[in-house]
Amino acid sequence: MNRKTMVLPAVAGLLAPLLAACGAGEESRAIVVGTTDQFVATEEAPAPLDPAYAYDTGTWNILRQTVQTLVHVPRGGGAPVPEAAETCGFSDRASESYRCVLRPGLTFADGTPVTAEDVKYSIDRVRKIKADNGAAALLSTVDTVETKGDREIVFHLNAPDATFPYKLSTPVAGILSKDKYAADELREGFEVDGSGPYTLKAERDGDRATRFVFSRNPRYKGDITPRNEKVELRAYADAGTMGAALESKDIDMMARSLSQEQIRDLTETPKAGIRVSEVPGLEIRYLGFNTKAPSVEEKAVRQAMAAVVDRGALVNRVYGPTAEPLYSLIPSSITGHSTPFYEEYGEGDADRAAAILRKAGVKTPVRLTLNYTTDHYGAETAQEFATLKNQLIASELFDVQVKGTSWSEFRPAQKRGDYAVYGLGWFPDYPDPDNYVAPFLDSDNFLGTPYVNKTVRDHLIPRSRRQADRNAATPDYRQIQKIVAQDVPVLPLWQGKQYVAARDDISGIEYALNTSSDLLLWELGRGTA
C-alpha cells in the first residue's frame, strides 16, 4: 500500500520519550474515533461480535483490536507475517499443510495461557457452528486441525489453498478461550475476550452499542506495537453528526464513513486544526439477485439491467471523484481484473437491453423493487438507488420501486431470500482476487445465493488457489469474470476510495485504515511524531 505520509518507526521511537516528557497527561488521554458503523444485537442477530458470526467491516474492526490471530497483514500490506505465532508457513509444495508455532508465554488478557488447543478449539468452533452470516466459508479448505504439544498447530487442508495465510489473518480465525466461548453456540451481546493488543469495554443503549473503550492489554505479546494507551470508538447515526463532533473537538478522528460532501468541503475549504487524507481503498458496490425470485429468475432480465445501467453517470451524479465505475467483481487494482460487463453490455444501452428481453420473450415493463440498507454504507446510498431507479425507468423496459431498510433488518431479510434485487458493498477480507470471487460464488457463500455455476465452484476456484504465484491464476479469474457477466448473479456498479479526517495533533492516520478498510487503532498517537 502506498501512503501519502510515512513516519519512520525508528524516528517515532526516538520522539516518544520527548513527547511523554512534554505532557504526560495529554499523551495518556484517550484518542476518540468516530464511525457511522452501527452495532446492534437483535433477536435475529444476537451475537454481532462473536468471531464465528461477525462478517462485516464494522464488527471485524472491533475484533481486530481485541482478538489475536496467528498471522496478520503488516503495515504497508504484503504477505501475512506471524502475530500470535512465532513462525508460520506451508510445510509442503502443494499448499495443503500449514504449520504454525505459537510465541512462548502467550496469554489471554485475563492471564490464562494461550495454547495450541485454544487455536484448534477456535477454528473447529467456527466450522461447527457454521453461522448463516457466511464467515465460516473462509475456513472451507480446512480438513482437520492437529496440535503437537502446547505450541504447535498444523492445518491439514482438503485442497491446495495458497490464500490460506490471508484467511488466518482475519477475525474468523481469532484465538478464543474455551472458558469464555461455548463450543456449539454463539456468545451474545457485546463482550469480547481475547489476547489482542487491547481489552474492550462496551457501552450500550438498549440493543445498540454506542461506545467502545479499548485499553492497552499489558499481557499482550505479538507483532503489534500500540502507540497509545486507550482509544474510544463512538458510533454516530450519520456522517454529518460525526463531522460536527470532529469540528467541536469531541472526537479526534473520523474514518468510516465520510460523505462525498464532507470530503469535498474538507479538501476544497480546509478547516483550521483538521487535516484530511486519502487512503487507497478496495471497496466495491453491486446489486445482488435472488435468482429464484420470479421477477429476476429469467437471466435475460438481469442481462438487460446490466445493459441499461450507466455506471459513469451514476458515479458522476452521486459520488464524484470518490468512486469510479466497475465492470467486474474484481476491482481494477487487483491482479486478474478485466472488464467483461462493459464488453458484453456497453454502458447505458437501452436498445441492447430491449433486444435481450425481446429475444427471451420477456414482457415489458418488468416490475422490480430495488432494496437497499439505509444506515450501513453512507448517506449517498438513497441517492444512488434513486438514480438507478430513474435509469431503469427511463429505458421504458422496467417499472421500478425502491425500498430502504435498516441494516439490522436488511441483512437477515437478504439472507432469507426476501429480496429479488438488493444492494450491498464488499470490503475485502484480504487483497486477493479470490476474495472477490469465492464469497459470491463458492459453497456456503456470503450472499446465500441460490445461483450455482459448477464450472466456477468445482473447477476454476479450486484451480486458482493452487497457484502460489497469484499472477499465474489470472486466466482462471478472467474466465470466472466472463461467466459472471454472462449469467449476472451480481451486477457490479463501482469501486471507491477512502478518506480519513483528524485533528492535526493526531499522528498515524495514514496507517490507521488499510486498503481492506481494516481500522488499526494501535497506529494512532497523540502529538506531532
Side-chain angles (χ1 to χ4, degrees):
M1 260 180 297
N2 295 319
R3 303 295 191 182
K4 287 195 170 184
T5 306
M6 300 293 286
V7 179
L8 293 176
V11 175
L14 290 171
L15 287 174
L18 176 61
L19 291 169
C22 290
E26 182 72 9
E27 285 300 296
S28 62
R29 182 161 58 89
I31 294 172
V32 184
V33 178
T35 181
T36 57
D37 289 324
Q38 302 299 304
F39 307 93
V40 184
T42 65
E43 186 174 344
E44 284 190 287
L49 297 183
D50 190 314
Y53 178 83
Y55 201 21
D56 67 81
T57 302
T59 54
W60 269 22
N61 282 338
I62 302 297
L63 293 173
R64 287 188 188 279
Q65 324 304 320
T66 51
V67 177
Q68 205 170 11
T69 49
L70 289 169
V71 295
H72 77 132
V73 176
R75 176 198 284 181
V81 298
E83 212 290 72
E86 184 176 61
T87 62
C88 273
F90 283 106
S91 54
D92 66 336
R93 292 184 178 181
S95 300
E96 291 183 307
S97 180
Y98 194 77
R99 175 181 177 271
C100 293
V101 177
L102 289 173
R103 294 177 185 268
L106 205 65
T107 69
F108 291 105
D110 65 2
T112 305
V114 175
T115 68
E117 279 297 326
D118 291 307
V119 177
K120 173 178 168 59
Y121 177 84
S122 302
I123 299 297
D124 288 346
R125 176 179 181 270
V126 171
R127 298 167 63 223
K128 180 178 181 180
I129 292 176
K130 202 175 183 179
D132 65 359
N133 213 25
L138 285 170
L139 303 176
S140 63
T141 55
V142 175
D143 185 19
T144 59
V145 184
E146 179 186 5
T147 62
K148 298 180 180 181
D150 287 339
R151 294 175 54 205
E152 185 176 350
I153 310 102
V154 181
F155 298 91
H156 300 285
L157 308 184
N158 53 36
D161 187 1
T163 70
F164 186 66
Y166 283 104
K167 295 170 182 177
L168 279 186
S169 74
T170 67
V172 72
I175 304 170
L176 308 175
S177 167
K178 60 178 69 69
D179 295 333
K180 302 290 178 66
Y181 292 83
D184 55 0
E185 61 183 34
L186 295 171
R187 183 178 182 179
E188 298 183 3
F190 297 104
E191 290 185 316
V192 180
D193 289 279
S195 55
Y198 295 97
T199 59
L200 173 68
K201 181 180 180 181
E203 294 183 6
R204 59 190 297 170
D205 181 7
D207 61 2
R208 189 175 300 268
T210 56
R211 181 170 173 260
F212 297 95
V213 180
F214 299 96
S215 299
R216 188 168 181 169
N217 174 12
R219 292 191 170 97
Y220 169 73
K221 292 183 179 180
D223 192 52
I224 294 165
T225 303
R227 300 182 59 230
N228 56 67
E229 293 296 323
K230 183 178 290 187
V231 183
E232 294 181 16
L233 186 67
R234 296 180 187 173
Y236 289 89
D238 54 70
T241 307
M242 179 174 64
L246 182 66
E247 290 194 38
S248 66
K249 301 183 181 181
D250 286 341
I251 63 175
D252 298 298
M253 173 182 166
M254 56 180 185
R256 283 180 44 83
S257 298
L258 283 69
S259 68
Q260 179 194 353
E261 182 180 347
Q262 285 176 319
I263 295 165
R264 184 186 298 113
D265 183 43
L266 288 168
T267 53
E268 295 179 358
T269 312
K271 301 286 192 299
I274 296 176
R275 58 194 174 105
V276 62
S277 295
E278 180 184 334
V279 181
L282 295 172
E283 170 192 9
I284 69 169
R285 297 285 179 88
Y286 58 94
L287 293 179
F289 298 97
N290 176 354
T291 53
K292 287 188 176 180
S295 60
V296 295
E297 185 176 16
E298 174 61 65
K299 180 168 62 175
V301 173
R302 308 192 300 271
Q303 292 174 329
M305 291 178 68
V308 167
V309 169
D310 187 334
R311 296 166 181 80
L314 173 68
V315 166
N316 288 336
R317 179 177 179 80
V318 182
Y319 294 101
T322 66
E324 60 184 78
L326 179 65
Y327 301 95
S328 168
L329 273 176
I330 300 175
S332 60
S333 50
I334 293 290
T335 299
H337 165 78
S338 58
T339 57
F341 274 87
Y342 187 82
E343 294 153 11
E344 192 79 24
Y345 306 107
E347 182 86 306
D349 192 338
D351 291 338
R352 186 178 301 195
I356 291 170
L357 293 173
R358 188 165 51 249
K359 182 178 180 180
V362 176
K363 294 182 180 180
T364 59
V366 178
R367 292 186 177 181
L368 298 173
T369 298
L370 307 182
N371 293 272
Y372 73 95
T373 175
T374 57
D375 58 352
H376 198 66
Y377 296 119
E380 292 89 357
T381 310
Q383 186 183 1
E384 176 183 349
F385 274 75
T387 302
L388 287 169
K389 172 185 174 179
N390 291 339
Q391 288 185 358
L392 291 167
I393 289 177
S395 72
E396 300 183 352
L397 301 172
F398 296 93
D399 180 4
V400 181
Q401 301 296 320
V402 170
K403 182 180 179 182
T405 309
S406 66
W407 179 253
S408 61
E409 298 178 17
F410 175 90
R411 176 64 171 142
Q414 180 269 316
K415 289 187 293 183
R416 286 195 304 267
D418 293 356
Y419 303 143
V421 189
Y422 51 87
L424 280 172
W426 183 253
F427 301 85
D429 308 321
Y430 47 92
D432 186 274
D434 179 78
N435 198 235
Y436 288 94
V437 170
F440 306 97
L441 305 172
D442 207 355
S443 301
D444 300 320
N445 59 70
F446 166 74
L447 295 179
T449 176
Y451 171 81
V452 175
N453 185 291
K454 292 183 178 180
T455 299
V456 172
R457 184 192 65 187
D458 299 339
H459 300 289
L460 294 175
I461 290 178
R463 190 168 70 191
S464 71
R465 289 172 173 166
R466 296 191 188 107
Q467 302 293 345
D469 177 359
R470 303 308 289 147
N471 288 318
T474 293
D476 289 330
Y477 288 120
R478 289 193 171 160
Q479 188 176 348
I480 291 170
Q481 290 169 89
K482 186 174 181 179
I483 290 170
V484 170
Q486 291 168 345
D487 290 352
V488 200
V490 294
L491 177 55
L493 297 173
W494 55 268
Q495 66 181 84
K497 303 175 184 177
Q498 296 186 118
Y499 293 82
V500 295
R503 306 298 308 181
D504 56 12
D505 65 333
I506 300 299
S507 58
I509 66 170
E510 297 86 359
Y511 310 122
L513 196 68
N514 67 17
T515 56
S516 298
S517 293
D518 302 334
L519 193 56
L520 312 178
L521 297 179
W522 55 80
E523 295 284 6
L524 297 174
R526 192 180 295 280
T528 56

